Amino acid sequence: MGKNKTRMLALALFLQLLCSVAGLDRSQFPSSFLFGTSTSSYQIEGAYLEGNKSLSNWDVFTHIPGHIEDSSDGDIADDHYHLYMEDIKLMHHLGVNSYRFSISWSRILPRGRFGKVNSAGIAFYNRLIDALLLKGIQPFVTLNHYDVPQELEDRYGAWLNPQIQKDFGHYADVCFKAFGKKVKYWTTFNEPNVVVKRGFMSGEYPPQHCSKPFGDCLSGDSNIEPYIAAHNIILAHATAVEIYKKKYQVKQGGSIGLVISTNWFEPLRHIPADRLAVQRALAFDTAWFLDPVIFGEYPPEMRQVLGLRLPTFSSEDRRKLQYKLDFIGINHYTSKYVKDCMFSPCNEGSTESTAFVISTGERNGIPIGTPTSMPDNYVFPDGMEKMVMYAMQRYNNIPMFITENGYAQGSTGNSPTTDTLNDRGRVKYLHGYLTSLTRAMRQGADVRGYFIWSLLDNFEWLFGYSQRFGLYHVNFKTQERTPKLSAKWVKKFLGGPQVIERMNGDLESV
């Protein structure tokens, strides 16, 4: 097929898709609304030993054979450390007004509080932030997105030791001081519920602690350690928030929050036991971290099940927890069905966490939504509205940002294919979830921003480079960035209502 014919076919597909997703436009969101893309340091930066950076736990973990599906690592990733100016141009071209990224703890404090601040790390993030602001893009900064300096793991066990609270407070203080005059949005942790479940319950993530029946690790106790690690993360968050509120917020004029991973759950069967199981599953997933930092106590649903296995907050802990976050960050991708295992028989060892539930993507062999290439991820747009309304009602409509939402494509190579670039599935996904979000906002949900995961195809944790979430395709051998159909759709969407002339002469706004 000739080049001109190929281009005409691609344009026709693009116009057809734009017209098929009418009814959603930028004007349905407030003018102050943040629209952006999300990334994280380990997943895109590369340069893992440059600029005096030390090894993180993920640097060490990915270099051990057998841990990552395609035997890859984040040593180079998207080489964002060197190509950040090019990537900012991509964002500017899309028309986003914010960029959510994380800072590498190991790049700022290679030895934690046991060493000096790394001036090269400070300089890199200052260059990144300054370049963003020059393009009118607000930095939305996460202090910790899974990775911690390996030094802290080796010294005292990182999240299993209360010392980590002091270390995280020191790290946060350094960042607030260095960047806070230019950063108006901070989050302490990204998905701490994922960190503790996969690091200390199933043992899939570092430090690979677990015990049967949850996993088969060399060390760990899945019945105790997840709750110890979670407790230390919650108090580390409280330490950072107290520092920000006392020392920096008034002078710098920013806000601070916490990002949680959320799944929506539907009852598998239309019976009271499964409806109760939904509430239990949400408590053990979302409320586990949000209840303590907002209300000062663990969810009653967890306390009733776990009893003394769940730690208690001391008077000093409660003093810290009085400094409240300013917003909630919600990462939402998918929904599942939930079946009760407290009052109903389930296969031994099949329950997830200790909530006495099992989840599944299917009911009577029918998926809850269109499956994606990512295991257990289904397209179920209604889950966005329901998840936001749950957070609105449980947490008195504290301001929210959708900090991640995205669609996976399976990949086996670096060269983009027609299917990879014409990612119609991602466009439909984004349209569906944004439409669902507008329904929640019309019901009064105070949502102030939405970030697509992700700007670029990147290192997708245990899946390596075999799953692609980017608006831009990345050839990891050449580092060439190529816009997908979804990037073009986002650009059109952020440009406001567009009028497209269809082949039949009709006009349709998208």
Side-chain angles (χ1 to χ4, degrees), residues 226-420:
Y227 309 108
I228 295 173
H231 201 68
N232 284 324
I233 291 176
I234 289 164
L235 293 174
H237 160 88
T239 300
V241 171
E242 179 181 11
I243 290 168
Y244 188 67
K245 298 275 181 177
K246 280 186 170 181
K247 291 179 63 175
Y248 298 102
Q249 189 169 44
V250 172
K251 291 186 293 184
Q252 296 178 352
S255 57
I256 190 165
L258 174 71
V259 173
I260 208 78
S261 172
T262 68
N263 293 296
W264 179 251
F265 300 104
E266 292 282 326
L268 180 65
R269 301 164 297 177
H270 299 295
I271 60 173
D274 282 4
R275 287 192 283 273
L276 285 173
V278 165
Q279 296 307 309
R280 215 160 48 245
L282 288 165
F284 274 75
D285 191 40
T286 300
W288 182 1
F289 286 82
L290 291 181
D291 271 28
V293 302
I294 294 171
F295 302 135
E297 186 51 271
Y298 287 110
E301 299 95 332
M302 292 186 76
R303 184 66 72 186
Q304 289 163 7
V305 172
L306 295 172
L308 295 177
R309 277 192 286 162
L310 204 57
T312 55
F313 294 109
S314 68
S315 57
E316 173 59 16
D317 297 338
R318 294 185 186 283
R319 186 197 64 76
K320 285 184 181 180
L321 287 167
Q322 72 178 318
Y323 295 93
K324 302 303 182 186
L325 47 67
D326 299 307
F327 63 85
I328 299 168
I330 293 176
N331 290 356
H332 181 73
Y333 292 85
T334 191
S335 300
K336 299 177 184 177
Y337 292 115
V338 161
K339 179 179 184 291
D340 168 69
C341 294
M342 183 175 282
F343 306 104
S344 311
C346 291
N347 295 329
E348 186 178 354
S350 65
T351 54
E352 297 179 5
S353 70
T354 41
F356 292 101
V357 302
I358 58 171
S359 67
T360 174
E362 296 184 353
R363 175 195 281 160
N364 299 324
I366 300 173
I368 192 170
T370 304
T372 71
S373 63
M374 179 68 81
D376 297 322
N377 267 31
Y378 302 86
V379 182
F380 186 74
D382 287 352
M384 176 69 85
E385 176 189 1
K386 294 180 178 183
M387 192 68 244
V388 168
M389 295 305 295
Y390 171 83
M392 172 188 169
Q393 291 159 7
R394 190 171 183 118
Y395 302 113
N396 302 317
N397 208 12
I398 289 176
M400 288 173 270
F401 291 87
I402 307 303
T403 37
E404 289 182 26
N405 178 236
Y407 178 90
Q409 293 171 290
S411 173
T412 57
N414 276 308
S415 298
T417 65
T418 300
D419 287 343
T420 304

Side-chain angles (χ1 to χ4, degrees), residues 63-79:
H63 283 87
I64 298 173
H67 284 170
I68 307 302
E69 184 175 297
D70 58 5
S71 302
S72 64
D73 53 53
D75 292 2
I76 301 173
D78 294 298
D79 201 20

Side-chain angles (χ1 to χ4, degrees), residues 415-478:
S415 298
T417 65
T418 300
D419 287 343
T420 304
L421 296 181
N422 291 327
D423 55 343
R424 299 166 62 87
R426 179 171 288 110
V427 173
K428 291 179 180 178
Y429 177 97
L430 296 175
H431 176 271
Y433 277 73
L434 277 166
T435 300
S436 182
L437 180 60
T438 63
R439 292 198 296 268
M441 293 172 68
R442 285 198 296 271
Q443 294 173 70
D446 188 2
V447 182
R448 301 187 180 185
Y450 172 89
F451 293 81
I452 297 168
W453 186 274
S454 179
L455 174 68
L456 306 168
D457 293 335
N458 54 50
F459 180 84
E460 185 51 43
W461 307 114
L462 298 183
F463 296 96
Y465 301 100
S466 66
Q467 295 287 341
R468 294 176 177 266
F469 278 88
L471 298 175
Y472 287 86
H473 177 277
V474 177
N475 183 315
F476 294 104
K477 289 182 179 178
T478 65

Side-chain angles (χ1 to χ4, degrees), residues 85-105:
M85 289 298 291
E86 179 180 337
D87 295 335
I88 291 172
K89 287 180 182 177
L90 299 181
M91 292 180 233
H92 187 247
H93 179 75
L94 285 175
V96 300
N97 58 12
S98 189
Y99 173 50
R100 177 175 175 253
F101 64 94
S102 74
I103 293 174
S104 167
W105 192 343

Side-chain angles (χ1 to χ4, degrees), residues 1 14 22 89 125 146 160 190 215 267 272 367 417 429 431 435 440 498 503 508:
M1 184 181 292
F14 182 44
K89 287 180 182 177
Y125 290 110
Y146 294 3
L160 290 177
N190 177 80
T417 65
Y429 177 97
H431 176 271
T435 300
Q498 304 290 323
M503 293 182 70
E508 184 166 351

Side-chain angles (χ1 to χ4, degrees), residues 13-22 488-489 492 500 510:
L13 285 170
F14 182 44
L15 293 176
Q16 179 186 357
L17 186 57
L18 282 173
C19 293
S20 72
V21 292
K488 298 171 186 177
W489 182 83
K492 285 282 187 183
I500 294 177
V510 297

